[in-house]
Amino acid sequence: MALNPLTNATLAARSRAAVWHPCTQMARLDAVPPLPMVRGDGPWLIDADGRRYFDATSAWWTNLFGHSDVGLQQAIARQAATLPHVMLAGCTHEPAIELAEGLRALTGGALGHAFFGSDGASATEIALKMSAHFWRNQGQPQKCEFIALAGGYHGETLGALSVTDVPIFRDAYAPLLRATHLAPALHEPGALAAIERLLAQLDGRCAALIVEPLIQGASGMRMHGPEVLRALRALCTQHGVHLIADEIAVGCGRTGTFFAWEHTLAPDEVEGSTTPPFGLRYRRPATSTDWPDFVLLSKGITGGTLPLSVVLTTDTVFNAFLSPDVARGFLHSHSYTGNAIVCAAACEVLRRFRETDLLQQLPRQAHALREAFAPLAQHPRVTALRQTGMVLAFDVTDSGERFAERFHLAARRHELLIRPIGATVYLMPPYLIDAPTAQWLAQAVRATLDEVLAGA
Ligand SMILES: *Cc1c(COP(=O)(O)O)cnc(C)c1O
């Protein structure tokens, strides 16, 4: 009988030869062979050698309900069997309509128009184009510059990279990018005053400011509170500049509310609260002036199954594109815009938020993480242990060379799939955390950390 060739070693070797992996130095692939995953089971991934790993980063922050969610499987299979795809110019379909209506309802009607893209970066591109085109249609074509924040991440296509400030992703391509005005990140003291000065200085030239609400993800899970976002909204309104909230990572319940922005709409602190009816917060009426002009969703919107992004915007923006003139309409399209299978998956995600007690469960899950990881704050090499909803992070001091790689490799031996950002270790797990799971995670992270630090 032939040996089964589908082992970790054979698949990793074939992958190394043919697949160019993202965000990966391919020269390191012998030292860090990619794990050939063959199956998902809840938060667990199982590799070709039959070993399992807890997916502590939710398949690059996309997974919400685990890797084998039956509801999502059925929604996708049903749609694939009836109508997989039609063009969304000249045609429409129920999954796209239901998704747009569902998202509008979640904003209390404030963001009533949904434009579909394929991934996070394209959502950023769409919002930037829409904002500048809006001002052009308003007779202000000179309003076409953008403000981004230090350490912000909005994707890696050229337009999105222009408003991204993460040197490792940006430096090699800097000559290809559009100039953007950079303001301090919101967790920095004095950020608002600096942003206000920049807005005044750019008077009449700035189309939009783009921000990651509550958590700057890719630059290392830097967190700020909702107050500064409320102030930012007011500043942008005052200066006639669009506010783009990039909720690609923090939307879809990650911070405890469906949209992270909802934390700004009510005065009481939500984070870590275990008091129901926490989840009803999103039903609070809000006027459209309290919301950003654009909200971007992607990652979690299909529960980690299929690529989709959505740009939500207001009546004001939408109405400015209505005209007998085609060139005043919004001009952006891709072949799979509003793909029906993908929209059906997203509708199932929304249904889960609407019809189950998920939003009531999330604070309990966040609380379990908090309790389990609290002792780590006493670790002599751990600083800045922090958490917002279902994102927990800490920094490691004197972490040494290649810390992220060594931590990732050591974690594999503890059944943990985790990829630190530099010396920042973070967890962004699927919404399947109970107290014993959180305790197990904390123990696995601590054992990994001690092993890595002992070997350094
Ligand atoms: C991941 C991410 C993006 C880009 O999304 P892709 O689907 O990877 O292009 C944009 N903004 C934020 C905040 C993200 O976390």
Side-chain angles (χ1 to χ4, degrees):
M1 215 159 89
L3 286 174
N4 177 8
L6 300 182
T7 63
N8 276 10
T10 55
L11 287 169
R14 280 168 58 196
S15 199
R16 186 195 192 290
V19 179
W20 199 333
H21 291 264
C23 207
T24 299
Q25 173 44 264
M26 294 296 286
R28 296 295 299 165
L29 241 57
D30 289 330
V32 194
L35 285 171
M37 296 304 188
V38 294
R39 201 160 57 80
D41 181 9
W44 297 95
L45 290 163
I46 291 100
D47 72 15
D49 289 352
R51 285 199 212 92
R52 65 173 199 167
Y53 308 86
F54 188 97
D55 188 359
T57 46
S58 298
W60 252 344
W61 320 350
T62 61
N63 195 288
L64 307 183
F65 315 134
H67 288 281
S68 50
D69 185 80
V70 174
L72 282 167
Q73 286 170 31
Q74 289 173 346
I76 290 167
R78 254 194 323 267
Q79 193 58 44
T82 50
L83 178 76
H85 184 60
V86 289
M87 57 181 174
L88 205 62
C91 303
T92 191
H93 52 73
E94 212 174 342
I97 297 165
E98 189 187 321
L99 177 56
E101 289 176 347
L103 290 168
R104 174 171 61 201
L106 285 171
T107 67
L111 299 164
H113 306 274
F115 196 96
F116 299 114
S118 52
D119 54 27
S122 68
T124 301
E125 305 272 343
I126 288 163
L128 298 178
K129 283 175 68 178
M130 224 177 233
S131 172
H133 197 168
F134 169 91
W135 295 115
R136 183 184 163 87
N137 282 350
Q138 299 286 95
Q140 295 182 269
Q142 76 289 352
K143 279 180 86 136
C144 60
E145 299 180 26
F146 299 104
I147 299 177
L149 305 187
Y153 179 91
H154 305 286
E156 296 172 52
T157 54
L158 293 179
L161 199 53
S162 295
V163 289
T164 286
D165 180 47
V166 180
I168 184 71
F169 298 131
R170 190 185 159 99
D171 287 354
Y173 313 103
L176 311 181
L177 305 179
R178 202 172 187 286
T180 294
H181 305 279
L182 214 56
L186 295 179
H187 59 267
E188 299 290 352
L192 279 174
I195 291 169
E196 184 161 23
R197 278 195 301 277
L198 188 56
L199 284 166
Q201 197 184 317
L202 293 175
D203 187 33
R205 290 187 292 152
C206 187
L209 180 151
I210 186 164
V211 63
E212 289 167 88
L214 299 186
I215 308 171
Q216 281 193 325
S219 65
M221 302 299 161
R222 304 290 150 202
M223 300 176 185
H224 57 263
E227 307 76 22
V228 71
L229 292 171
R230 267 198 295 274
L232 187 65
R233 171 67 280 185
L235 275 182
C236 287
T237 305
Q238 191 188 325
H239 288 270
V241 165
H242 287 144
L243 181 60
I244 303 171
D246 177 351
E247 298 221 3
I248 289 165
V250 295
C252 303
R254 189 48 72 180
T255 68
T257 45
F258 185 82
F259 294 103
W261 197 265
E262 290 165 53
H263 291 260
T264 72
L265 303 178
D268 46 322
E269 264 306 317
V270 182
E271 190 209 325
S273 156
T274 49
T275 334
F278 172 91
L280 296 181
R281 168 175 300 268
Y282 74 91
R283 296 188 200 285
R284 267 167 182 266
T287 62
S288 56
T289 53
D290 293 330
W291 283 85
D293 301 282
F294 300 91
V295 172
L296 317 184
L297 291 176
S298 185
K299 295 199 164 93
I301 190 67
T302 62
T305 57
L306 292 162
L308 170 70
S309 60
V310 189
V311 177
L312 297 172
T313 192
T314 60
D315 288 345
T316 306
V317 169
F318 178 78
N319 290 337
F321 288 83
L322 301 177
S323 160
D325 182 359
V326 177
R328 286 175 65 102
F330 185 56
L331 299 168
H332 187 97
S333 43
H334 73 105
S335 323
Y336 281 98
T337 305
N339 172 265
I341 300 175
V342 173
C343 288
C347 287
E348 170 62 18
V349 168
L350 292 199
R351 191 194 66 75
R352 213 64 76 79
F353 278 95
R354 221 171 24 235
E355 296 176 17
T356 72
D357 65 349
L358 179 60
L359 283 168
Q360 279 78 17
Q361 293 296 333
L362 282 177
R364 289 191 200 110
Q365 299 195 26
H367 186 71
L369 279 179
R370 177 181 309 257
E371 295 272 289
F373 278 82
L376 206 59
Q378 311 307 321
H379 194 289
R381 304 281 288 278
V382 167
T383 61
L385 180 64
R386 55 197 182 273
Q387 184 182 6
T388 298
M390 295 295 281
V391 182
L392 183 140
F394 59 88
D395 300 334
V396 177
T397 56
D398 301 320
S399 55
E401 280 285 291
R402 294 191 193 282
F403 171 80
E405 184 183 292
R406 286 185 291 116
F407 192 95
H408 168 77
L409 282 174
R412 290 180 180 187
R413 293 192 289 276
H414 294 275
E415 299 190 322
L416 201 55
L417 186 66
I418 194 165
R419 262 173 78 103
I421 301 171
T424 299
V425 177
Y426 73 91
L427 285 93
M428 205 155 162
Y431 306 160
L432 298 167
I433 301 296
D434 55 14
T437 309
Q439 291 294 341
W440 178 85
L441 273 171
Q443 159 272 316
V445 166
R446 190 182 184 111
T448 303
L449 180 65
D450 286 336
E451 198 176 302
V452 170
L453 293 177

